[in-house]
């Protein structure tokens, strides 16, 4: 009986040889996750055949003699298997093509990310959240901070901060802002280069989380804003200074007068001056000569008054000086010092002499700066008409 069973088994294997020859394809399909249900059904079918070989070998022999399953039905099953294998191969081919495409897209994305990382003008750091050590940084980080990449990777970020206090402040802001907003943005934060130079930066930090949402790192972007700050400072200076003389302009003078008035820290004195003969100089010698006269006047005023005094050109030929914490007698002394400086300047310089009509007033607790300005202006006109 067992001889018949094994004989029948070998004949079955011979008829199933095409399907068994496709075993590598089936295994590939299994690894790709394609139609596992159909594969499972096929394995179940083969298992039933083996069980029938053992339990009812005579019935199994009938498959091949026509007395059990008809040969047409068996041929139909084998035809089904061939058709299924053909479809399976097509699906595998499509799946492999899709995977190759996905790998190409991933590779292209990685290349784009690497190029972006390397080409950013801002310094970019990848920092381990547990150790606070720099994992990687881009070439711009070396340009901004002056260190080679090898000098930064593996170190904590402490050496990039101005001092321990600045590092602690940064850590507190990072914890607070990330908890509230999910990121940190500092529009201006001082950091330190390798040569010890402290410079202004714009700092952004974003957390990196794993699939479970656990914090694993930080992406830190640092922009050097030194040039921007320099330009802002230049624009600010231009906005509050007279271009020709370099003195403060009328806008800044009025703002400072209002600020001092609000502070009520009296006494505060005001000196008003009007440059004589400017129009005549422009008409006779040209505007270049008039501009030179204005510039020389500004130099004299700068020499005569204190650093803390606010000297401004408030009109074409008008000047004004705010003298904080200056009493009436002290303001009178400052006025005498100015006249002495003008005489010394005229004696030392040839050409058109400087002549200024002057008035002075002091604001006390019972007098506002606006009232003191009017009083000084009135005195200046009296002095002008007396010349």
């Amino acid at each position: 009986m067992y001889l018949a069973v094994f004989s029948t088994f070998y004949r079955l294997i011979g008829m199933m040889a095409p399907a068994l020859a496709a075993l590598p394809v089936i295994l590939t399909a299994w690894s790709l996750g394609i139609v596992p249900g159909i594969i499972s059904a096929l394995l179940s079918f083969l298992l039933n055949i083996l069980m029938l070989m053992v339990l009812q070998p005579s019935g199994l022999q009938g498959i091949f003699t026509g007395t059990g399953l008809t040969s047409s039905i068996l041929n139909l099953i084998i035809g089904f298997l061939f058709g299924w294998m053909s479809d399976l191969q097509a699906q595998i081919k499509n799946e492999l093509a899709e995977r190759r495409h996905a790998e190409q897209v991933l590779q292209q994305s990685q290349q784009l990310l690497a190029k972006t990382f390397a080409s950013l003008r801002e310094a970019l750091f990848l920092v381990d959240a547990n150790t606070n050590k720099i994992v990687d940084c881009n070439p711009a980080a070396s340009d901004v901070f002056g260190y080679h990449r090898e000098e930064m990777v593996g170190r904590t970020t402490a050496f990039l901060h101005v001092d321990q206090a600045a590092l602690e402040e940064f850590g507190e802001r990072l914890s607070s802002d990330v908890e509230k907003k999910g990121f940190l943005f500092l529009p201006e934060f001082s950091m330190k280069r390798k040569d010890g130079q402290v410079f202004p930066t714009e700092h952004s930090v974003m957390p990196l989380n794993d699939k479970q949402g656990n914090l694993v790192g930080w992406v830190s972007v640092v922009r050097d804003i030194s040039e921007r700050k320099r330009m802002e400072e230049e624009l600010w200076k231009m906005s509050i200074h007279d271009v020709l003389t370099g003195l403060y302009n009328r806008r800044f003078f009025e703002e400072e007068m209002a600020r001092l008035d609000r502070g009520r820290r009296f006494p505060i004195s005001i000196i008003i001056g009007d440059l004589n003969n400017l129009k005549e100089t422009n008409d006779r010698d040209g505007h270049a000569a008039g501009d030179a006269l204005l510039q020389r006047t500004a130099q004299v005023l700068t020499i005569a008054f204190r650093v803390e005094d606010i000297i401004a050109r408030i009109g074409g030929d008008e000047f004004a000086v705010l003298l904080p914490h200056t009493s009436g007698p002290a303001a009178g002394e400052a006025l005498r010092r100015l006249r002495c400086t003008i005489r010394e300047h005229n004696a030392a310089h040839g050409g058109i002499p400087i002549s200024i009509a002057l008035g002075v007033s002091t604001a006390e607790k019972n007098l506002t700066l606006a009232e003191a300005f009017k009083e000084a202006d009135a005195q200046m006109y009296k002095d002008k008409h007396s010349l």
Side-chain angles (χ1 to χ4, degrees):
M1 181 184 70
Y2 289 104
L3 182 60
V5 168
F6 284 111
S7 175
T8 304
F9 174 73
Y10 287 130
R11 293 178 62 190
L12 178 64
I13 291 300
M15 297 186 67
M16 297 298 293
L20 295 175
L23 186 58
V25 178
I26 296 173
L27 294 176
T28 302
W30 185 273
S31 67
L32 293 175
I34 299 175
V35 290
I38 299 178
I39 297 175
S40 179
L42 175 62
L43 295 177
S44 178
F45 170 75
L46 292 175
L47 182 61
N48 290 333
I49 293 295
L50 292 174
M51 291 177 63
L52 186 62
M53 288 167 54
V54 175
L55 299 176
Q56 296 180 357
S58 60
L60 183 63
Q61 288 177 335
I63 293 176
F64 305 102
T65 61
T67 58
L69 274 171
T70 64
S71 59
S72 61
I73 293 176
L74 187 58
N75 289 336
L76 182 63
I77 293 174
I78 295 174
F80 164 77
L81 291 176
F82 271 112
W84 172 74
M85 288 303 300
S86 178
D87 293 341
L88 181 60
Q89 286 179 322
Q91 290 185 50
I92 292 173
K93 183 177 180 181
N94 291 336
E95 179 70 18
L96 290 174
E98 290 177 1
R99 288 205 173 191
R100 282 194 297 269
H101 177 69
E103 290 173 357
Q104 290 175 354
V105 171
L106 178 61
Q107 186 179 15
Q108 291 172 356
S109 299
Q110 291 173 338
Q111 291 175 351
L112 178 62
L113 181 61
K115 290 180 180 178
T116 303
F117 182 79
S119 62
L120 280 175
R121 296 175 60 185
E122 294 80 10
L124 192 148
F125 296 91
L126 300 179
V127 181
D128 186 284
N130 296 320
T131 64
N132 199 35
K133 290 183 177 181
I134 298 171
V135 178
D136 200 0
C137 59
N138 67 343
S142 297
D143 298 335
V144 171
F145 287 94
Y147 293 91
H148 293 296
R149 178 181 177 277
E150 294 75 16
E151 295 178 281
M152 294 186 284
V153 172
R155 298 176 65 182
T156 66
T157 58
F159 70 100
L160 301 176
H161 291 271
V162 175
D163 51 31
Q164 184 62 29
L167 176 61
E168 292 174 0
E169 178 191 352
F170 181 81
E172 291 172 1
R173 289 289 303 274
L174 179 63
S175 300
S176 174
D177 285 26
V178 169
E179 182 178 352
K180 293 177 182 177
K181 301 183 293 185
F183 64 94
L184 170 69
F185 176 71
L186 299 175
E188 186 172 343
F189 188 79
S190 295
M191 301 196 79
K192 185 173 62 177
R193 304 189 204 273
K194 185 178 181 179
D195 61 6
Q197 179 190 9
V198 176
F199 67 104
T201 70
E202 181 183 277
H203 209 132
S204 303
V205 182
M206 290 289 292
L208 289 174
N209 301 97
D210 59 18
K211 292 181 179 180
Q212 289 72 39
N214 301 313
L215 179 66
V216 295
W218 305 98
V219 177
S220 179
V221 180
V222 181
R223 175 180 295 173
D224 183 354
I225 59 172
S226 300
E227 183 62 20
R228 189 181 80 189
K229 292 294 293 181
R230 187 193 64 78
M231 293 182 63
E232 288 175 354
E233 186 174 349
E234 288 295 322
L235 289 172
W236 181 77
K237 286 181 179 179
M238 290 174 61
S239 71
I240 65 172
H241 285 82
D242 175 58
V243 176
L244 178 63
T245 63
L247 300 177
Y248 290 116
N249 57 21
R250 187 183 188 94
R251 171 190 169 188
F252 182 79
F253 181 85
E254 291 176 346
E255 289 176 353
E256 283 299 290
M257 193 166 71
R259 182 183 66 82
L260 291 171
D261 207 15
R262 288 193 302 269
R264 310 299 293 174
R265 301 181 69 177
F266 297 113
I268 303 170
S269 294
I270 298 179
I271 293 177
I272 303 295
D274 187 271
L275 182 61
N276 297 315
N277 304 318
L278 178 62
K279 183 177 184 304
E280 291 78 1
T281 300
N282 285 332
D283 294 342
R284 184 181 65 248
D285 303 321
H287 285 277
D291 289 348
L293 183 60
L294 286 167
Q295 290 169 339
R296 286 167 51 210
T297 303
Q299 293 172 1
V300 167
L301 291 170
T302 303
I303 293 170
F305 291 100
R306 303 169 300 184
V307 174
E308 61 267 29
D309 296 332
I310 299 165
I311 310 168
R313 182 188 178 197
I314 60 174
D317 54 3
E318 288 185 284
F319 298 87
V321 185
L322 279 170
L323 297 89
H325 312 295
T326 304
S327 63
E333 180 60 31
L335 199 61
R336 285 189 292 273
R337 187 171 61 248
L338 172 59
R339 287 186 170 124
C340 180
T341 305
I342 291 173
R343 286 194 298 270
E344 291 175 353
H345 175 85
N346 289 337
H349 293 79
I352 304 168
I354 294 175
S355 173
I356 308 176
L358 297 166
V360 62
S361 180
T362 300
E364 302 286 353
K365 292 184 179 179
N366 59 343
L367 187 69
T368 66
L369 276 176
E371 292 169 335
F373 183 92
K374 289 180 181 179
E375 186 175 301
D377 194 54
Q379 286 192 17
M380 180 270 294
Y381 274 105
K382 286 181 182 180
D383 186 46
K384 193 176 188 70
H385 292 145
S386 67
L387 295 175

